[in-house]
């Protein structure tokens, strides 16, 4: 995925206000993350909008790999055994950029523009945008790194380009436990459901 480095840097008039947080309640336990609204406002606003509207509720983790990552956010994965899990995104539409106030667009299958403006590495506990391997194909799917996967950084020389938009601040052990469950073709044998994602501070 070739993320453009020509994306204009957004002005973030947040002063000393803290970033929003997201409380992830799963069938295996809870974890909490800081959402980097100050660093990647479009990507963070997209995630916050989806979370607040209940988009993620009832979706299962469809791909978990120990010492790598947990992938989540495909609406087809409401059925944990769906053969289409990992191929879906949100509906086309609009959402508000919480920093600029601008109306942003999801299009061509619920995709947003790549936002490669903050050099945050895909470290342990970070939340990072999944995509289809081509530019501007991120939507609702993301992954949680359970290892330092710097080869996935948008600013790395590798082929994969995945911008980070948050990091777990508590409950990392839950994310790590999710990555170690028994799987078939990387899909958990015992489904792991997202019960809710609660946003605070936005």
């Amino acid at each position: 995925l070739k993320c453009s480095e020509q994306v204009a840097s957004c002005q973030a008039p947040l002063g000393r206000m803290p970033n929003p947080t997201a409380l992830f309640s799963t069938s295996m336990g809870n974890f909490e993350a800081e959402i980097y609204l100050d660093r990647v406002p479009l990507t963070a606003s997209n995630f916050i909008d989806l979370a607040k509207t209940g988009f993620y509720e009832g979706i299962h983790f469809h791909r978990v790999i120990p010492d790598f990552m947990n992938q989540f956010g495909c609406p087809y994965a409401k059925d944990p055994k769906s053969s289409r899990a990992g191929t879906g995104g949100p509906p086309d539409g609009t959402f508000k950029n919480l920093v600029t106030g601008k109306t942003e667009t999801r299009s061509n299958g619920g995709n947003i523009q790549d936002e490669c403006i903050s050099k945050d590495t895909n470290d342990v506990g970070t939340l990072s945008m999944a995509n289809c391997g081509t530019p501007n194909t991120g939507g609702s799917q993301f992954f949680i790194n359970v290892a330092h996967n710097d080869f996935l950084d948008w600013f790395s020389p590798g082929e994969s380009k995945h911008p980070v938009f948050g990091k777990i601040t508590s409950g990392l052990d839950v994310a790590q436990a999710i990555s170690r469950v028994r799987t078939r073709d990387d899909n958990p044998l015992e489904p792991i459901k997202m019960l809710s994602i609660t946003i605070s501070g936005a």
Side-chain angles (χ1 to χ4, degrees), residues 99-162:
V99 171
T100 66
K102 177 184 174 183
T103 298
E104 306 285 3
T105 301
R106 296 187 191 99
S107 59
N108 300 315
N111 298 324
I112 62 171
Q113 295 293 302
D114 295 328
E115 191 175 28
C116 299
I117 59 176
S118 184
K119 290 188 175 183
D120 301 298
T121 189
N122 280 267
D123 205 349
V124 176
T126 52
L127 282 55
S128 190
M129 289 296 289
N131 57 52
C132 297
T134 52
N136 306 314
T137 55
S140 57
Q141 291 191 50
F142 62 94
F143 56 92
I144 302 161
N145 290 291
V146 294
H148 187 188
N149 299 313
D150 56 353
F151 66 95
L152 298 177
D153 295 343
W154 67 264
F155 49 91
S156 76
E159 289 297 315
S160 293
K161 307 294 182 183
H162 300 276

Side-chain angles (χ1 to χ4, degrees), residues 8 26 50 53 58 73 79 91 93 110 116 118 132 141-143 151 154 181 185 188-189 193 198-199:
T26 82
L50 291 171
T53 56
D79 173 2
C116 299
S118 184
C132 297
Q141 291 191 50
F142 62 94
F143 56 92
F151 66 95
W154 67 264
V181 301
D185 298 325
L189 290 176
K193 181 186 286 188
T198 304
I199 303 295

